[in-house]
Amino acid sequence: VREERSGSVQVVAELAREFDFDDVDGRRPPSIRSLRFVVPNFVLSDAALDEMGSSSQPLAVRALRKLRDYVPDLLLPWSVFTSGPPPTASSSEDA
């Protein structure tokens, strides 16, 4: 298994899920590719919601803040973040 992953980009949170290990405090943070990370930090961030609150109903913004806790831990494909799959050892040697 290590040989297959050697030289490639790995996301520690995804390895933690696969190999069933936690952080020192017992938590397992979501992957940077996970909706659970992306939505609260970018879509429903405090800054984005504060900006919405100035133009929309404050009640709706409070409801959106509560939704952050219910975002599923689904992984988005690498192509959402880049122009293709993650780099591999062979593609980084070609550059």
Side-chain angles (χ1 to χ4, degrees):
V1 172
R2 286 191 299 191
E3 293 82 20
E4 294 171 4
R5 296 170 193 260
S6 178
S8 65
V9 174
Q10 299 293 313
V11 178
V12 174
E14 293 174 25
L15 293 173
R17 180 189 295 178
E18 183 177 342
F19 294 107
D20 196 32
F21 63 87
D22 299 326
D23 206 345
V24 292
D25 61 2
R27 294 182 306 138
R28 188 174 296 166
S31 167
I32 60 171
R33 296 189 311 137
S34 172
L35 282 177
R36 185 167 288 161
F37 176 81
V38 172
V39 171
N41 288 293
F42 297 99
V43 179
L44 296 177
S45 68
D46 286 333
L49 292 174
D50 289 344
E51 188 175 314
M52 269 189 239
S54 63
S55 62
S56 65
Q57 300 291 335
L59 181 61
V61 172
R62 284 198 305 268
L64 286 173
R65 285 186 201 280
K66 290 181 183 182
L67 283 178
R68 291 188 287 198
D69 297 334
Y70 299 101
V71 176
D73 194 14
L74 300 174
L75 294 180
L76 298 169
W78 278 108
S79 59
V80 170
F81 303 98
T82 65
S83 60
T88 61
S90 60
S91 65
S92 62
E93 291 170 1
D94 296 337

